[in-house]
Amino acid sequence: MSQSQPYYLKGSPMAIRLNNAVGWLARHGVSLLGSAELSVRGRKSGQMQRVPVNPHTHDGTQYLVSARGHSQWVRNMRAAGRGELKVGRKVRSFTATEIPDTEKLPVLRTYLERWGWEVDQYFKGVTAKSSDEELLAAAPDHPVFRISVAANG
C-alpha cells in the first residue's frame, strides 16, 4: 500500500463471518463483552450501514476506535457525524467527534488493554505495552471518535 493511501486492513472471509455473527447477536440482544451494532448513514447510498463495534470508555467518556483503520464506517461517520449503537431493543443515538492524533494516546492504550486480545493483529505490532512513542506513531492509522449519547438515547 502506498503512503498516500490511508491505512485500512480488510477483513478476511473468516473475520467477516465472525463480524456478521457478532452483529447478528447484538441486534438480537446479546452483547459479547460489551460489543454493540453500530448504524451509521452511508455517505454515498444514504442507507444505514451496520457493523459490530467495541464501544470503549476511558475516563468516563465513550469512544469508538477503528482497529482496522480508515474503514467505510469511519468515512461514513466523518460525513454523518452521528449514529446509533444497538444491543437488542436498546438503541442509543449519539453524535461523534473525531479526536486528533495528539489526544489518542490514553484512549488507544486503554482500548488495547481491554480489546487487545481481539484487535492487536490490526495494530502492526503495537500493543498496550508499547511505548508512548510507538502508540503515537500508530495513532494516524486508527481513527478515534468521542461519542456523546443523546439524553433520550
Side-chain angles (χ1 to χ4, degrees), residues 72-87:
Q72 292 300 320
W73 79 256
V74 167
R75 295 170 191 182
N76 290 336
M77 188 62 66
R78 286 175 178 149
R82 64 182 61 250
E84 295 177 342
L85 292 173
K86 180 177 184 177
V87 177

Side-chain angles (χ1 to χ4, degrees), residues 32 64 93 105 123:
L32 297 179
L64 293 176
S93 298
L105 178 63
F123 278 78

Side-chain angles (χ1 to χ4, degrees), residues 27-152:
R27 221 173 11 265
H28 291 86
V30 179
S31 172
L32 297 179
L33 302 171
S35 63
E37 183 178 65
L38 166 68
S39 293
V40 60
R41 189 160 307 282
R43 67 197 182 285
K44 295 177 183 174
S45 70
Q47 301 298 311
M48 293 304 275
Q49 306 296 312
R50 300 185 314 211
V51 63
V53 292
N54 299 321
H56 177 64
T57 302
H58 173 74
D59 279 351
T61 301
Q62 277 212 299
Y63 297 90
L64 293 176
V65 177
S66 180
R68 293 179 183 270
H70 297 264
S71 63
Q72 292 300 320
W73 79 256
V74 167
R75 295 170 191 182
N76 290 336
M77 188 62 66
R78 286 175 178 149
R82 64 182 61 250
E84 295 177 342
L85 292 173
K86 180 177 184 177
V87 177
R89 293 182 182 171
K90 182 177 181 183
V91 177
R92 297 181 297 145
S93 298
F94 65 86
T95 56
T97 305
E98 189 167 4
I99 65 171
D101 294 340
T102 55
E103 294 179 21
K104 291 179 185 176
L105 178 63
V107 176
L108 287 177
R109 186 172 305 284
T110 57
Y111 177 79
L112 288 169
E113 286 169 358
R114 172 76 172 100
W115 296 103
W117 61 274
E118 182 183 354
V119 302
D120 275 355
Q121 62 191 334
Y122 308 126
F123 278 78
K124 299 187 278 188
V126 174
T127 70
K129 294 181 176 155
S130 295
S131 69
D132 288 356
E133 292 76 19
E134 290 168 320
L135 276 166
L136 284 170
D141 289 340
H142 302 283
V144 176
F145 294 87
R146 179 183 307 109
I147 63 172
S148 301
V149 176
N152 62 356

